[in-house]
Amino acid sequence: AQKITQTQPGMFVQEKEAVTLDCTYDTSDPSYGLFWYKQPSSGEMIFLIYQGSYDQQNATEGRYSLNFQKARKSANLVISASQLGDSAMYFCAMREFNSGYSTLTFGKGTMLLVSP
Amino acid sequence: NAGVTQTPKFQVLKTGQSMTLQCAQDMNHNSMYWYRQDPGMGLRLIYYSASEGTTDKGEVPNGYNVSRLNKREFSLRLESAAPSQTSVYFCASSEPGNQPQHFGDGTRLSIL
């Protein structure tokens, strides 16, 4: 079974609107972390936001917030007030902290296009 | 702030040729990683090094070898390149736990 599932291959949003990118995960480890990365067309991987499984509040970083629903095993990225520069591929990733040495497992990504 | 530096940025090889991809980080991180990115597949871990002197296989290690030369440098070697290894390769480094991985700019490798 896939550990990270991103069901939206592509999303479209108009500039200044909010958009939610979906991410569901599968783990039996009670201690884990969820990461979101942005990959613009130039190719680099940019870290956006982190949520730990024991964090009581949803993470926020500027226009990015994480809608963390632990019981549903979802960690959706919310981008408020979209900008043209937000057009990129977005990856959700998970690290399980009790599984030996833990590495990141990535989802397949969601391509976001922001239109004027 | 160089961060993670990968060389080369682009390379074309013929089937059967060998090549080493270089990666260096200046953030004093203990852990380093090599990923490959293929269309529609996300990033898949090839090998990682939890600390200097150790290396371990990831999800897709076949056809690759790695060397953790020192704390800064982690190289990926293709001994006999195959067309299936055409991909974009990323090196990353991090501290353990909840710290994010920092990525290099990638190496675009084509094998004919």
Side-chain angles (χ1 to χ4, degrees):
Chain A
Q2 282 191 345
K3 288 194 173 183
I4 296 287
T5 302
Q6 294 180 254
T7 57
Q8 306 153 315
M11 289 284 286
F12 293 89
V13 67
Q14 278 204 310
E15 203 176 5
K16 299 180 185 177
E17 291 185 346
V19 63
T20 298
L21 306 183
D22 294 342
C23 173
T24 58
Y25 58 91
D26 182 26
T27 183
S28 57
D29 191 335
S31 180
Y32 55 90
L34 296 151
F35 301 78
W36 277 91
Y37 284 84
K38 172 185 178 181
Q39 186 178 41
S41 58
S42 50
E44 71 269 29
M45 294 288 288
I46 302 166
F47 166 70
L48 295 178
I49 196 167
Y50 168 81
Q51 179 84 44
S53 59
Y54 295 120
D55 293 343
Q56 294 298 312
Q57 293 192 328
N58 287 345
T60 61
E61 288 287 348
R63 293 186 299 110
Y64 305 109
S65 61
L66 212 151
N67 183 1
F68 182 48
Q69 298 188 45
K70 197 170 180 177
R72 295 186 177 185
K73 294 189 174 179
S74 74
N76 299 337
L77 177 70
V78 181
I79 305 174
S80 63
S82 298
Q83 301 173 356
L84 295 178
D86 293 334
S87 293
M89 182 72 87
Y90 289 81
F91 291 98
C92 179
M94 177 174 65
R95 175 178 279 170
E96 297 163 292
F97 296 127
N98 290 327
S99 303
Y101 181 80
S102 56
T103 58
L104 273 183
T105 302
F106 283 83
K108 295 183 178 181
T110 295
M111 175 66 78
L112 175 66
L113 291 178
V114 181
S115 60
Chain B
N1 286 344
V4 179
T5 303
Q6 290 184 235
T7 55
K9 294 192 185 306
F10 302 94
Q11 186 71 48
V12 179
L13 293 178
K14 293 182 179 178
T15 298
Q17 287 185 318
S18 62
M19 151 145 220
T20 300
L21 307 185
Q22 306 287 354
C23 175
Q25 52 96 6
D26 63 2
M27 294 172 284
N28 204 35
H29 287 161
N30 282 300
S31 303
M32 298 186 73
Y33 314 83
W34 276 105
Y35 294 90
R36 60 178 289 173
Q37 184 179 22
D38 302 296
M41 297 295 291
L43 276 76
R44 293 182 293 168
L45 184 66
I46 305 171
Y47 271 92
Y48 66 97
S49 171
S51 60
E52 187 178 354
T54 69
T55 61
D56 283 285
K57 295 178 181 179
E59 181 185 353
V60 288
N62 291 345
Y64 305 95
N65 286 302
V66 290
S67 295
R68 183 75 182 264
L69 305 170
N70 49 54
K71 191 171 185 179
R72 289 188 64 248
E73 298 172 288
F74 188 38
S75 63
L76 178 72
R77 182 161 178 84
L78 287 69
E79 289 291 352
S80 179
S84 61
Q85 294 177 305
T86 293
S87 188
V88 179
Y89 290 85
F90 285 97
C91 177
S93 71
S94 76
E95 287 302 314
N98 63 359
Q99 299 305 305
Q101 293 183 8
H102 298 262
F103 285 80
D105 288 341
T107 295
R108 190 172 296 274
L109 182 61
S110 293
I111 299 160
L112 307 177

